[in-house]
Structure formats: structure tokens, C-alpha cells
Amino acid sequence: MSNRRRRIAIGVAAVALLQIAAIALYLRVEDDRGAKETFRFEKLRGDVLAPNILLERPDGTRVSLHAIGGNLRLVHFWATWCPPCVEELPGLLATSDELAGDGLTLIAVSMDENWDVIRSFFAGDVPRNIYRAVHREAYKKFDVATLPDSYLVPSNGRLRARYGGARDWRSHGAKEHLRNALR
């Protein structure tokens, strides 16, 4: 093999090795990003008391938000007519059930007009943590702009975090975030 051909072969091999190394590095960085996935949220100052809205249970009894206990409350505004809400809700209910023993209380506030619509949505079996806002203006007190919208309220009653828009509440990042908030 001539000198020129040998240099070309070495050059091609070097370029191929560099490409393989670049691809390996790219894949490693992407794996690290996935492993360190964080759960997006808006951290609130923690000096504002959660509005004490009036809620209704499926049986018609009423309760104020502040009267609902729990080490950590997740106040979630949603509606049956909201496609992102409908997609998100099963994961939120499952995760809240999973973390209930750790002190998480889900308060899923439906913005629907009446219980008939909500009962129909759940085929008659409304989960225990579903409430309806007695006053339609309840969402305004929380500055809800779009549905779904959720707020984290620790036992001191002050707003700690806001989760605007739909989330994957079953994700590792969501569960890790909520577990850290429970500590």
C-alpha cells in the first residue's frame, strides 16, 4: 500500500473513531438528562395564605379548604370538559393515592356546573378527593388562568408552589418532587 493510501485510510479511520466517540458522548449526555429529569413548577414565596374557598362533596356537605387536613395539600383545579384535565386526572389520582399514607391530601376541585356531570364522568363512582367549588369564582381567588392548575399548600396554609398546565403525575420526577415536599 502506498504512503498516500495509508494516510487516507488512517484519516478515514480517525474520522470514524471521532464520530463514534461523539455519538457515545451524545448518548451519555442524553441518558444523564433523562435520569436527572426535574419536575417543572413555579416556586411561590410562601408568604401568601391559600384562599379559604368553600367546597362541596358529592353528598352535598360543604367544607372550607382550610378545614381539610393533611401534612401537604395539593389543590387541583380541573373540569370534565377540559381535555388536558381529563388526560392528566388518572395519573394525579393514582399518585395521590400512593402518597396519601405519607401525608399528601389531594383536593381536586371541579369547575363543572353540577354533580350530575361529574358523576357521569366517573360513571357514578366519584373518588373521595373530588370536590366541586360552591362558588364559580373560586378559581379567581387562586388566580387560575387556565385549566388544569394546581397549588401546593403545606400544613401552615401558605401557598408554596404552582403547577400550571397538565403534568405527568405518575412520572418519577413528580413523585420525587412531592416526596421531597412531604419531608
Side-chain angles (χ1 to χ4, degrees), residues 89-130:
L89 193 59
L92 179 59
L93 291 169
T95 296
S96 71
D97 285 347
E98 182 180 329
L99 299 178
D102 296 329
L104 179 68
T105 300
L106 172 65
I107 302 165
V109 182
S110 174
M111 299 310 299
D112 288 287
E113 291 287 332
N114 59 59
W115 280 107
D116 293 336
V117 173
I118 300 166
R119 282 188 191 92
S120 176
F121 178 80
F122 287 107
D125 190 21
V126 179
R128 63 176 166 63
N129 37 16
I130 301 294

Side-chain angles (χ1 to χ4, degrees), residues 52-113:
N52 194 20
I53 59 175
L54 188 59
L55 304 170
E56 184 178 65
R57 293 184 173 111
D59 65 4
T61 59
R62 293 180 175 188
V63 61
S64 70
L65 175 65
H66 289 184
I68 300 172
N71 294 339
L72 190 66
R73 291 168 285 173
L74 183 60
V75 181
H76 176 73
F77 292 91
W78 71 286
T80 60
W81 45 262
C82 164
C85 300
V86 170
E87 185 178 329
E88 171 187 51
L89 193 59
L92 179 59
L93 291 169
T95 296
S96 71
D97 285 347
E98 182 180 329
L99 299 178
D102 296 329
L104 179 68
T105 300
L106 172 65
I107 302 165
V109 182
S110 174
M111 299 310 299
D112 288 287
E113 291 287 332

Side-chain angles (χ1 to χ4, degrees), residues 12-58:
V12 169
V15 169
L17 284 174
L18 283 173
Q19 286 179 330
I20 291 170
I23 290 170
L25 179 62
Y26 171 79
L27 292 174
R28 178 148 185 209
V29 167
E30 286 301 307
D31 282 347
D32 286 348
R33 278 187 191 161
K36 295 177 184 176
E37 171 196 339
T38 58
F39 191 64
R40 293 181 305 106
F41 66 97
E42 176 187 348
K43 185 175 182 176
L44 302 176
R45 293 188 343 221
D47 60 348
V48 175
L49 194 62
N52 194 20
I53 59 175
L54 188 59
L55 304 170
E56 184 178 65
R57 293 184 173 111

